[in-house]
Amino acid sequence: MKAWAKDQGIEGSMIKFLGDPACTLTKAHGMVMDHPGPVSIGIIGRCKRHAIYADDGEVKYVAVCDDDDDPAGDDYPEETCAPAMMEAIKKL
């Protein structure tokens, strides 16, 4: 995660990348991608594409990109990208 943070230029900022190798947080948030498509090709336990806005430890907004035809949210990730998240946060 440190290498990814460095590559993305967020090292030392308020943004923190977190790994979830045991799927603990993914399961707790109900974000396990359990669509049969990815599982059928060996992708097991992957997290759904999502973004969470939390303030002082309280989750205020969650965006999830998944669809029956796009369980990973790879085709249309816009809901979880920064511009959409900023708009959602402004509306809170």
Side-chain angles (χ1 to χ4, degrees), residues 11-91:
E11 238 180 355
S13 75
M14 63 185 261
I15 298 170
K16 183 165 180 109
F17 288 168
L18 303 170
D20 187 22
C23 224
T24 306
L25 185 63
T26 300
K27 289 176 184 173
H29 285 175
M31 294 294 170
V32 175
M33 186 173 53
D34 53 8
H35 187 279
V39 173
S40 71
I41 59 169
I43 300 173
I44 300 169
R46 180 173 168 187
C47 184
K48 294 178 183 180
R49 182 182 303 277
H50 69 286
I52 298 173
Y53 168 66
D55 184 21
D56 198 23
E58 180 183 348
V59 174
K60 303 280 188 172
Y61 182 77
V62 177
V64 182
C65 286
D66 70 337
D67 189 294
D68 286 341
D69 295 330
D70 182 25
D74 293 336
D75 293 337
Y76 304 101
E78 292 83 5
E79 286 182 55
T80 58
C81 293
M85 288 298 291
M86 294 303 294
E87 286 302 312
I89 292 165
K90 287 178 189 176
K91 294 176 183 176

